[in-house]
Amino acid sequence: MSRLADNSDPRRSLPSVDAVLNGAQELVEQWGHTQVSQLVRAELDELRAAVGRGEGVDSTVDQLVQSLAAKLADAGQSTFRQLINLSGTVIHTNLGRAVLPQRAIDAVVSVAQAPSNLEFDLATGSRGERDTHVESLICELTGAEAATVVNNNAAAVLLVLSTLAAKGEVPVSRGELVEIGGSFRIPEVMERSGCKLIEIGATNRTHLSDYDGAINDRTSLIMKVHTSNFKVEGFTKSVGEVELAELARERQLPFVIDLGSGNLVDFAALGLPDEPTVAQSIDNGADVVTFSGDKLLGGPQCGIIAGRKDLISQIRKNPLKRALRLDKMTLAALAEVLKLYRSPERLREELPTLRFLTREVSDIESQATRVQEVLTSILPSHYRVESTACQSQIGSGALPIESIKSFGLAIRASTDAHLRQLVIAMRNLPRPVIGRLNDGVLTLDLRCLDCEDVFVQQLVELAALLE
Ligand SMILES: *Cc1c(COP(=O)(O)O)cnc(C)c1O
């Protein structure tokens, strides 16, 4: 082949892997040889393919190194971003549910940093049990005899049923066969746990006699599910915990309640819609209750199982427990959150979830006035910003009908396209802002805005993002 022919093939003019690596020494130092050389090869392969398709390509070493630097920095970024939740839903599953209190965050860092006595009894030098870090706290706060913890409440329900009801029948009221966010269906979880769901009553009315009639020698337990994410209103009847506990005792069956949210304080005293506490359910005669750690409790994602000592001990021995057990960081955070509940009068300050839920409307309103002024001065004239009363949802299936009075900003635009553009610009801010778009209005509910400075300071970037 002649030299002329060689030079006419543009693929020949691409630099070699070694040449690019030589020019990328700084990147190799920062990101390591493996990552950089893999990317160089991939990049050159792509360029060669582009040339093969007859496309013109930039192929100097300098240009390549520049593009590598950008790609490496991009790949090195976390996929997680801190957001500002102005959606009006306080406990938002898609936005990570509860924000942890500082002492829980410190506890997470501490156990992550060094070996710990996770399952080690320092007094005797023998093997310990990881549940001990939270069990007595849970018992103290709920009145239960014993407790264990798993990854989430769905896992808690699965483990309880798989231990106490495998191959047996479990009567559940039709009105309680809930579906939560499309991801947790009681009937499916029951099936996976190996028990047979017996649906009783009608969707709106279930009587004690329905339970009584469904019990036979294959029945393993009686289960009640807290219908936290929907409410059948009007002509309804459900059987109370005390009555069901009595029936269960007569028939010598365990009485299990899936409480969903799991509240540990007197909500009415905090000015919130009433929600029964875990302690009340235990007091009413529940043998085992399950509830979430990251809903109303305001802690890390986990599922808490509390109740009779003999039953908890059986549950703990189920091999599934090993598969569902909690990580040390979650345990450490949970212990700190539970300790806060020892001083209920301080919860409003110290626990972010309850701080958000109990914020005074007048406080949110004055914040709305401040923020409205800034936003109005920044947004182009085809946007109109008004401060407005609005309603926050508690979220995550807790108290679905109840909403709490709040305050926020209602933003309207001269066209739908402008409003959509603003929604996108808000998402592209350094700390993305998530509002609620409804009927041509973007509402920013300020109930959860605990970083007003960050929010206001980054607003200047909105103008550029809207261009
Ligand atoms: C939320 C909820 C669950 C699932 O809890 P996770 O902690 O999200 O797994 C189960 N049962 C009820 C009644 C719930 O409200």
Side-chain angles (χ1 to χ4, degrees), residues 97 152-154 180 184 225-226 228 258 260-261 292 294-295 302 396:
R97 289 196 186 166
N152 48 40
N153 188 34
I180 292 145
F184 182 79
V225 183
H226 195 60
S228 46
D258 171 16
S261 258
S292 282
D294 57 348
K295 291 186 179 172
C302 61
S396 283

Side-chain angles (χ1 to χ4, degrees), residues 78-376:
S78 170
T79 58
F80 276 109
R81 299 278 298 279
Q82 290 194 345
L83 307 175
I84 300 180
N85 173 15
L86 305 188
S87 68
T89 300
V90 178
I91 309 166
H92 198 307
T93 301
N94 303 149
L95 306 183
R97 289 196 186 166
V99 171
L100 292 181
Q102 189 56 46
R103 50 192 281 182
I105 295 165
D106 294 343
V108 169
V109 172
S110 169
V111 289
Q113 244 166 6
S116 64
N117 58 338
L118 175 65
E119 288 181 357
F120 184 72
D121 185 339
L122 279 168
T124 61
S126 57
R127 207 196 140 152
E129 157 67 58
R130 65 177 64 202
D131 281 354
T132 54
H133 296 280
V134 292
E135 183 175 15
S136 57
L137 274 163
I138 298 169
C139 293
E140 177 188 326
L141 296 165
T142 62
E145 289 172 5
T148 184
V149 280
V150 287
N151 252 312
N152 48 40
N153 188 34
V157 174
L158 178 74
L159 184 64
V160 168
L161 291 175
S162 135
T163 310
L164 303 179
K167 300 198 181 80
E169 294 183 0
V170 177
V172 182
S173 162
R174 277 204 177 80
E176 298 172 358
L177 294 172
V178 291
E179 178 181 329
I180 292 145
S183 59
F184 182 79
R185 295 186 184 88
I186 277 278
E188 287 173 13
V189 171
M190 293 184 84
E191 190 185 320
R192 283 299 162 134
S193 69
C195 69
K196 182 156 184 238
L197 164 68
I198 307 293
E199 297 182 25
I200 59 166
T203 315
N204 60 341
R205 292 175 72 86
T206 303
H207 302 269
L208 192 63
S209 55
D210 294 324
Y211 285 94
D212 201 35
I215 295 173
N216 57 47
D217 35 349
R218 294 181 301 276
T219 309
S220 305
L221 52 83
I222 296 180
M223 175 144 180
K224 193 169 170 61
V225 183
H226 195 60
T227 51
S228 46
N229 79 329
F230 76 118
K231 230 178 192 165
V232 183
E233 291 194 281
F235 185 61
T236 64
K237 159 96 177 107
S238 64
V239 183
E241 293 176 355
V242 175
E243 288 171 274
L244 276 182
E246 263 170 33
L247 175 66
R249 210 166 307 122
E250 261 170 42
R251 299 304 198 95
Q252 298 186 325
L253 294 169
F255 175 36
V256 174
I257 309 178
D258 171 16
L259 286 169
S261 258
N263 166 35
L264 297 180
V265 284
D266 182 351
F267 256 42
L270 292 171
L272 288 167
D274 201 19
E275 169 79 3
T277 62
V278 179
Q280 278 163 2
S281 295
I282 298 277
D283 198 43
N284 285 344
D287 295 304
V288 173
V289 297
T290 71
F291 54 100
S292 282
D294 57 348
K295 291 186 179 172
L296 287 178
L297 201 75
Q301 180 194 301
C302 61
I304 298 171
I305 306 170
R308 251 167 58 190
K309 202 175 188 132
D310 58 328
L311 299 177
I312 298 294
S313 152
Q314 250 178 284
I315 289 165
R316 205 177 262 137
K317 286 187 198 123
N318 185 330
L320 258 187
K321 168 68 166 52
R322 173 66 177 74
L324 302 173
R325 75 182 183 189
L326 270 195
D327 168 66
K328 63 189 174 189
M329 292 186 281
T330 310
L331 271 168
L334 177 62
E336 292 310 310
V337 169
L338 290 172
K339 274 189 237 162
L340 291 179
Y341 277 91
R342 284 173 163 166
S343 319
E345 62 282 357
R346 299 224 304 258
L347 277 174
R348 295 177 72 156
E349 285 149 55
E350 300 198 25
L351 193 64
T353 300
L354 283 182
R355 187 167 69 234
F356 295 144
L357 287 174
T358 60
R359 255 186 93 185
E360 299 290 345
V361 183
S362 58
D363 176 39
I364 311 176
E365 184 175 358
S366 28
Q367 188 175 40
T369 309
R370 290 194 298 273
V371 176
Q372 183 217 4
E373 219 166 284
V374 185
L375 203 52
T376 303

Side-chain angles (χ1 to χ4, degrees), residues 2-21:
S2 72
R3 283 190 62 197
L4 194 70
D6 276 352
N7 284 346
S8 68
D9 181 352
R11 271 168 282 199
R12 286 322 270 307
S13 65
L14 286 174
S16 67
V17 172
D18 282 344
V20 181
L21 279 175

